[in-house]
Amino acid sequence: MAGLINNLLIPFLVFQNICLGFRSPLSLFKRYKDTTRSLSSECLGSDRPVISLGLSDFALDIRMPGVTPKQSDTYLCMSVPLPVDDEAYVVDFKPHASMDTVHHMLLFGCNEPSSTENYWDCDEGTCKDKSNILYAWARNAPPTRLPKGVGFRVGGETGGRFFVLQVHYGDISAFRDKHKDCSGVTLHLTQQKQPLIAGMYLMMSVNTVIPPGEKVVDADIACHYKRFPMHLFAYRVHTHRLGKVVSGYRVRNGQWTLIGRQSPQLPQAFYPVEHPVDVSYDDILAARCVFSGEGRTTETHIGGTANDEMCNFYIMYYMEAKHAVSYMTCTQNANPEMFRNIPQEANIPIPVKSDMLRMTHGHHEETKDTDKSSLLQQAKKEEEEILDQDFHIEEAVEWPGLDLKLGQVSGLALDPENNLVIFHRGDHVWDENSFDSKFVYQQRGLGPIEQSTILVLNPSNAKLLRSMGKSLFYLPHGLSIDKNGNYWVTDVALHQVFKLGADGKEALLVLGVALQPGSDKNHFCQPTDVAVDPITGSIYVSDGYCNSRIIQFSPNGLYMMQWGEGTETSLGRARPGQFHIPHSLALIPDFSQLCVADRENGRIQCFRLETGEFIREIKHKSFGRQLFAVSYVPGGLLFAVNGMPYPGGAEPVQGFVMNFSTGEIIDTFIPLRKSFEMPHDVVASEDKTVFVGDVHARVVWKFTSTEKPETIVEARLKNNPESTDPLKKQEKQHLVRQASTGVSFVLITTLLIIPVVVLLAILVFIRWRKTTVYGADGDHKLDSSSGRILGRLRGKGGGGLNLGNFFASHKGYSRKGFDRLSTEGSDQEKDEDDGTDSEEECSAPPPPPAPSSS
């Protein structure tokens, strides 16, 4: 009888599995669409999916195969063959990319890609034969829709047999975590003949030069049209940072008809042509890009890097199939005089309004990760979501970095790999004998510091990774690291600012004159800190102990402007723009601001990057009389440390966490081991790991955030945010896993309740029969048999049927419903390695005895 039960049970479970595995083509495509929507940072593997959408339609996913660009302004290409031999038509596009990682994407059609590699550097070219642009994307654009009956022709005798995807990675700072990128586009193709064939008309300036500082520069393009009629249905504009507005027109008999006009700083999607425009033989197509060279110190040319410019006006059109041409270009200005009559609207920049930003971003679930540098409103929204979390900063008492043997710790920074970098003074000390009344360094006889002044540490275990900076500096002070890993440091004794390469062996740029204090464009007086704009490369220097100003330099070190003045103590309260030791800088690219720790005025002042215009002050009684350092974390957190209270003051020395937008103090923190004496610098990472360096205590503390998971879950369910913050993503995934667990439990329970009831009924019947026929001995045998069966159902016993493994063996099933959810905290800096390295391996070389003054 037990064998009969097994024979009945196994087909029943197999039938259940078949029911689970069955998907209709519609649900399969829906599942595919949902999957691709969430795979912006995952890879689909080498087998790129081709999904059937019916008898004649299919979807083709074209993605970068998990790449990590090594340097900014990298162009990478990859190709995918058309999966059918016959003619097909592309009727829809769906992008998968974010401006956080991708500057723009182009999709080409051709017959022979430039390489057969998995992917290649686009400097080798895209295609060996003629290529046609099928699609273009930048700045988190929404999907492009083609009109019904219109398609791009591919394959067959005349269409391209390969798709080539080109991805431009502008700023690679988003790849600090070494993740692999799989940006790309999903195509919807059909083999049904389309009566109208789509094409791309590209108008592009190739010789425009933008002089530095020039307010308005026009780039004009115009060509006569000499083909069969075409109908325009979509347009796209493209420039880099200097572009203000791009407009395109059809000119017929002197009449200008607008095709489209848009700000290139808005999402660079293909926008629909509002009023249908047709172009006939001998019409003129004209376009104008308006640029501004303000803020640049050198000429800007048309080129491929983010610091160059581009002037592109793309037009999507369709023609009757028998006359169709798939790609046309215009790169000249056939009639410069005609632009005297261009409509005035072409010269008026389009303001980037908040309602337009919401319109282009707020209603597309797949494009909520927006470009922070241009969408300030979105940055503020993300800030509010992050600040909604309930967390507290506490010292990481297990961190061994407190035992490092250091000199006076003056500067801290995190490099692109998120390693901790320490700038210290070795055996040199800044005391009352270091300078005379004119701020000239008095201890030159000591020579430069012989120890390594720059130490790079593993932030988790404080192990020394590398060291540099021997015999270069006299009195180190400020430290920052740019997006390319270059070290920017100040020396108050030398009165200079240095840019060092990642190896720290030689200076790539030196500002100021060695050992000569001054207050003109070429001299500093004890400069304190440096900040570098990750977008423009502009250099900002806080100068300093004996000057009261912020100076801006171009990326190659040319003086651009300065602002600030000394504080007039007789007035009582310092005015905006006045400094009493501008001691530390925090650059906030999200909001285009530079914040300064105005040390002796006990406050933070924030200014507009482009102009130096004062924006606001952050000042609290708990700061006391001194505020030494400030650090910003993307998402809206500002960290700071204050100084010892003056006699009679009661404010303790502590660290502060603030809401950047409001200036409100969210949290304060102090160390548990030792005590703050003169915390001199602070740096924080996006996961709210904080390091504080103390110039008197000669130590570096590490602090981490402790969060309440239930509070985070409650906030997420309340606000339902979409954010680029890695911690928020983990929390969101945790919630998804919880939801998945609930669904899986209900599904399994529902599917098993019927067979369990049937099985129990059979067992009751057999028990009754065996009790009647065999007596107690039969009871024992029955218990053993039924126990084996139930044990198998529970996944126990040798050779039993484990439900987790049974369902997990089928495609599309996730084990998340069976796995126990993690209940560990979110401290990403927790060291997994319990090895105990010696103190010597973790510390800097001990300082040698100071040489005699002779």
Side-chain angles (χ1 to χ4, degrees), residues 6 23 65 128 193 288 400 463 559 568 577 580 662 820:
N6 284 338
R23 296 287 187 277
K128 293 182 179 180
K193 285 190 175 296
R288 166 170 284 182
K463 182 176 291 186
Y559 175 91
E568 298 180 18
H580 192 179
T662 66
R820 182 176 62 87

Side-chain angles (χ1 to χ4, degrees), residues 512-554:
V513 181
L515 299 167
Q516 293 185 16
S519 57
D520 58 21
K521 298 179 181 180
N522 300 315
H523 291 80
F524 301 109
C525 192
Q526 297 177 347
T528 54
D529 203 4
V530 192
V532 180
D533 190 329
I535 299 172
T536 66
S538 294
I539 307 160
Y540 298 87
V541 178
S542 51
D543 180 40
Y545 280 90
C546 35
N547 286 327
S548 299
R549 59 180 179 171
I550 306 298
I551 313 176
Q552 180 185 358
F553 297 88
S554 70

Side-chain angles (χ1 to χ4, degrees), residues 361-663:
H361 285 281
H363 303 291
H364 296 282
E365 291 296 325
E366 57 270 70
T367 58
K368 286 190 177 178
D369 289 331
T370 54
D371 178 10
K372 298 187 189 67
S373 64
S374 63
L375 305 181
L376 304 186
Q377 290 79 8
Q378 182 69 15
K380 290 179 180 178
K381 178 182 176 182
E382 292 174 359
E383 171 189 316
E384 291 169 0
E385 292 166 357
I386 291 175
L387 297 175
D388 190 43
Q389 299 175 11
D390 184 9
F391 66 90
H392 176 60
I393 301 297
E394 294 182 352
E395 184 188 353
V397 293
E398 78 283 356
W399 192 63
L402 213 62
D403 300 324
L404 294 172
K405 291 182 172 62
L406 302 169
Q408 293 182 332
V409 179
S410 62
L412 299 176
L414 297 173
D415 68 13
E417 285 74 42
N418 224 34
N419 296 315
L420 173 65
V421 183
I422 299 173
F423 197 31
H424 73 118
R425 296 174 184 157
D427 59 353
H428 283 204
V429 236
W430 186 353
D431 57 25
E432 65 275 7
N433 300 315
S434 298
F435 296 90
D436 65 13
S437 61
K438 296 182 179 180
F439 308 106
V440 176
Y441 186 56
Q442 298 297 296
Q443 297 171 336
R444 284 173 286 179
L446 297 177
I449 301 168
E450 296 179 359
Q451 298 87 42
S452 295
T453 54
I454 299 175
L455 309 177
V456 183
L457 305 180
N458 183 315
S460 297
N461 56 25
K463 182 176 291 186
L464 182 65
L465 302 178
R466 56 187 177 275
S467 60
M468 60 203 79
K470 289 183 179 181
S471 303
L472 289 178
F473 308 110
Y474 286 80
L475 279 181
H477 199 275
L479 166 70
S480 65
I481 301 175
D482 65 24
K483 65 180 183 180
N484 297 317
N486 299 307
Y487 299 95
W488 294 80
V489 298
T490 70
D491 189 311
V492 292
L494 290 171
H495 305 287
Q496 287 181 302
V497 175
F498 299 85
K499 175 186 178 181
L500 306 176
D503 57 7
K505 293 182 179 179
E506 59 179 342
L508 305 179
L509 179 67
V510 180
L511 301 176
V513 181
L515 299 167
Q516 293 185 16
S519 57
D520 58 21
K521 298 179 181 180
N522 300 315
H523 291 80
F524 301 109
C525 192
Q526 297 177 347
T528 54
D529 203 4
V530 192
V532 180
D533 190 329
I535 299 172
T536 66
S538 294
I539 307 160
Y540 298 87
V541 178
S542 51
D543 180 40
Y545 280 90
C546 35
N547 286 327
S548 299
R549 59 180 179 171
I550 306 298
I551 313 176
Q552 180 185 358
F553 297 88
S554 70
N556 56 1
L558 296 177
Y559 175 91
M560 295 179 67
M561 68 172 179
Q562 70 179 50
W563 69 87
E565 60 181 6
T567 301
E568 298 180 18
T569 54
S570 60
L571 297 178
R573 181 178 176 84
R575 296 199 306 265
Q578 292 184 338
F579 299 111
H580 192 179
I581 308 182
H583 195 258
S584 170
L585 299 177
L587 196 145
I588 295 88
D590 293 357
F591 297 88
S592 295
Q593 295 183 28
L594 181 73
C595 292
V596 184
D598 187 6
R599 195 181 100 172
E600 297 302 311
N601 284 323
R603 62 179 179 175
I604 299 169
Q605 295 192 72
C606 297
F607 303 87
R608 198 171 307 283
L609 277 177
E610 297 83 359
T611 62
E613 173 191 357
F614 174 82
I615 298 176
R616 66 191 178 114
E617 170 192 278
I618 301 175
K619 186 176 177 68
H620 295 279
K621 183 179 179 181
S622 54
F623 285 174
R625 294 284 296 273
Q626 295 178 320
L627 192 80
F628 270 75
V630 62
S631 177
Y632 175 76
V633 170
L637 293 178
L638 205 61
F639 294 82
V641 289
N642 66 352
M644 290 291 291
Y646 281 21
E651 298 82 9
V653 186
Q654 58 189 330
F656 302 88
V657 187
M658 288 165 281
N659 178 326
F660 172 74
S661 289
T662 66

